């Protein structure tokens, strides 16, 4: 359900931390729609954005470039903010990988206060609750994103499907604020399906029921989405993994839609065949990955809930042997 904003606040100042496939897409669409956006990025991607803008290749809106781009690394932003050269962000989208979250906490503590809303857009379920324990001042929601996108080259992000949905919400109704509705309105206005959820625990697990099976199945068979889009063992395994996440949900008193397998297969079928989970790209490139939170953690969650998930256990055991350092 999309809740409409009733706030008459002035334009919000957005900050996107992590300008990869997810964060780059959110920030680019917001900026293209006329919203005020800061990006926090690093390395060659950051330098390319600073000098040539941020280019987007999309299946839904064609190709476009945002220039100039207000992009900084953490240290640059803090220096300019201390001099009064930059506005304080109202909304912070955290779009980094889960393994980078802990190192980001000190920066978030410096740039946020009780008026700030932080929306973590990560693949790992329950990130918002974990982050809120470290950040008692600002409002930290839960959130997730449906998108297939990645950095194609420094300064360029490519989307590999039309789906672009950002879902966020508070865990406790007493934390709801009108500004959350304004965010949804801004996202929709800028071409993003922005959803202010009234049951983020369910909606977050529903997204996890897509990305976790997608990553686990893709890594197990070492394939891209195209292999899951056609009948065969990969598609059957993906479907079975989705069913296990639904069983986990029931054990946690979270009911996913009865047709969740068909819903997720439809989403898989909407992607370009060469798409894959970012976890797989990191594994292929021998980089740190989110395999702990996306795969290994699922049997552990099941154990705490008093059930077993045999297919997840098999895949987790196989991948642990294959990627012992992850």
């Amino acid at each position: 359900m999309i809740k409409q904003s009733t706030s008459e606040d002035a334009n919000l100042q957005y900050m996107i931390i992590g300008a990869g496939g997810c964060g780059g897409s959110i920030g680019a669409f917001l900026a293209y729609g006329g919203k005020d956006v800061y990006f926090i990025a690093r390395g060659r991607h950051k330098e390319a954005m600073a000098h040539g803008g941020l280019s987007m290749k999309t299946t839904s809106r064609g190709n476009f470039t945002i220039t100039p781009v207000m992009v900084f690394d953490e240290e640059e932003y803090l220096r300019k903010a201390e001099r009064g050269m930059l506005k304080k962000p109202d909304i912070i989208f955290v779009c980094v990988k889960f393994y980078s979250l802990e190192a980001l906490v000190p920066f978030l503590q410096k740039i946020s206060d009780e008026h700030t809303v932080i929306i973590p857009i990560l693949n790992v379920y329950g990130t918002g609750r974990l982050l809120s324990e470290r950040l008692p001042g600002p409002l930290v929601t839960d959130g997730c994103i449906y998108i297939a996108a990645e950095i194609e080259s420094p300064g360029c992000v490519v989307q590999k499907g039309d789906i672009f949905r950002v879902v966020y919400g508070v865990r406790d109704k007493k934390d709801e604020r009108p500004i959350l509705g304004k965010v949804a309105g801004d996202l929709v206005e800028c071409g993003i399906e922005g959803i202010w959820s009234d049951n983020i625990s369910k909606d977050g697990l529903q997204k996890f029921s897509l990305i976790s099976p997608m990553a686990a199945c893709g890594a197990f068979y070492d394939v891209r989405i195209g292999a899951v889009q056609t009948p065969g063992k990969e598609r059957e395994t993906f479907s079975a993994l989705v069913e296990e996440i639904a069983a986990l949900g029931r054990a946690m008193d979270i009911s996913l839609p009865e047709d969740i397998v068909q819903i997720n297969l439809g989403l898989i079928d909407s992607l370009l065949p060469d798409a894959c989970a970012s976890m797989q790209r990191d594994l292929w490139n021998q980089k740190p990955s989110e395999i702990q939170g996306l795969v290994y953690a699922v049997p552990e969650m099941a154990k705490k809930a008093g059930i077993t998930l045999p297919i997840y256990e098999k895949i987790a055991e196989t991948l642990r042997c294959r990627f012992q350092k992850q």
Side-chain angles (χ1 to χ4, degrees), residues 285-300:
N285 293 322
Q286 297 184 337
K287 295 180 177 180
S289 79
E290 294 179 311
I291 196 168
Q292 173 62 45
L294 287 177
V295 183
Y296 301 158
V298 178
E300 297 168 6

Side-chain angles (χ1 to χ4, degrees), residues 105 108-109 112 118 130-140:
V105 168
L108 290 171
Q109 290 172 334
S112 63
I118 298 175
L130 292 173
L131 191 56
S132 67
E133 294 172 357
R134 301 295 307 278
L135 298 168
L139 172 60
V140 182

Side-chain angles (χ1 to χ4, degrees), residues 47-59:
E47 294 304 320
M49 290 170 61
H51 292 97
L54 175 58
S55 296
M56 293 293 304
K57 295 182 179 180
T58 80
T59 57

Side-chain angles (χ1 to χ4, degrees), residues 54-129:
L54 175 58
S55 296
M56 293 293 304
K57 295 182 179 180
T58 80
T59 57
S60 61
R61 303 189 68 174
N63 300 341
F64 61 92
T65 299
I66 302 299
T67 185
V69 174
M70 297 287 283
V71 59
F72 315 93
D73 61 30
E74 296 170 18
E75 294 76 15
E76 287 174 332
Y77 174 82
L78 291 174
R79 286 198 302 270
K80 290 181 180 292
E82 288 171 358
R83 297 172 185 169
M85 300 169 64
L86 298 173
K87 291 171 58 180
K88 198 177 188 101
D90 301 298
I91 308 295
I92 302 174
F93 281 102
V94 177
C95 306
V96 300
K97 299 293 180 64
F98 184 76
Y99 53 78
S100 298
L101 197 61
E102 179 64 26
L104 186 61
V105 168
F107 178 68
L108 290 171
Q109 290 172 334
K110 292 176 182 178
I111 65 172
S112 63
D113 57 29
E114 67 274 13
H115 303 293
T116 312
V117 176
I118 298 175
I119 305 177
I121 303 294
L122 281 77
N123 287 326
V124 176
Y125 183 69
T127 300
R129 185 180 299 277

Side-chain angles (χ1 to χ4, degrees), residues 144-164:
C144 60
I145 186 170
Y146 289 79
I147 193 172
E150 61 187 79
I151 297 175
E152 183 180 68
S153 60
C156 180
V157 171
V158 58
Q159 294 182 354
K160 298 189 173 183
D162 290 349
I163 187 169
F164 192 3

Side-chain angles (χ1 to χ4, degrees), residues 122-326:
L122 281 77
N123 287 326
V124 176
Y125 183 69
T127 300
R129 185 180 299 277
L130 292 173
L131 191 56
S132 67
E133 294 172 357
R134 301 295 307 278
L135 298 168
L139 172 60
V140 182
T141 74
D142 274 312
C144 60
I145 186 170
Y146 289 79
I147 193 172
E150 61 187 79
I151 297 175
E152 183 180 68
S153 60
C156 180
V157 171
V158 58
Q159 294 182 354
K160 298 189 173 183
D162 290 349
I163 187 169
F164 192 3
R165 180 185 308 154
V166 173
V167 186
Y168 62 93
V170 296
R171 295 170 296 282
D172 190 326
K173 293 294 184 183
K174 69 177 177 58
D175 292 325
E176 290 191 343
R177 304 177 185 177
I179 195 173
L180 296 173
K182 184 168 177 57
V183 173
D186 283 353
L187 292 171
V188 171
E189 181 184 334
C190 295
I192 304 169
E193 185 182 359
I195 299 178
W196 178 11
S197 170
D198 56 7
N199 190 348
I200 193 59
S201 295
K202 169 186 172 294
D203 289 337
L205 187 65
Q206 182 164 338
K207 163 59 194 298
F208 192 71
S209 79
L210 172 69
I211 188 60
S212 175
M214 177 178 163
C217 181
F220 182 69
Y221 291 110
D222 197 24
V223 296
R224 293 180 179 268
I225 288 298
V228 187
Q229 293 173 329
T230 56
K233 60 184 179 180
E234 293 90 352
R235 193 173 181 88
E236 293 172 0
T237 299
F238 173 83
S239 299
L241 290 170
V242 174
E243 290 175 345
E244 288 196 341
I245 294 293
L248 175 61
R250 290 191 294 272
M252 297 166 60
D253 294 324
I254 300 174
S255 297
L256 298 183
E258 292 185 3
D259 59 343
I260 187 62
V261 173
Q262 293 306 313
I263 290 173
N264 285 351
L265 285 174
L267 293 172
I268 287 290
D269 293 343
S270 73
L271 303 177
L272 297 182
D274 68 335
C276 68
S278 61
M279 184 194 85
Q280 290 177 255
R281 293 194 296 273
D282 289 335
L283 290 172
W284 288 331
N285 293 322
Q286 297 184 337
K287 295 180 177 180
S289 79
E290 294 179 311
I291 196 168
Q292 173 62 45
L294 287 177
V295 183
Y296 301 158
V298 178
E300 297 168 6
M301 293 166 66
K303 184 177 181 180
K304 290 180 180 179
I307 64 172
T308 59
L309 303 178
I311 301 175
Y312 260 104
E313 290 176 0
K314 174 185 175 182
I315 289 178
E317 182 180 357
T318 300
L319 295 182
R320 282 186 190 277
C321 293
R322 193 184 303 170
F323 304 109
Q324 292 182 1
K325 293 183 180 181
Q326 293 288 340

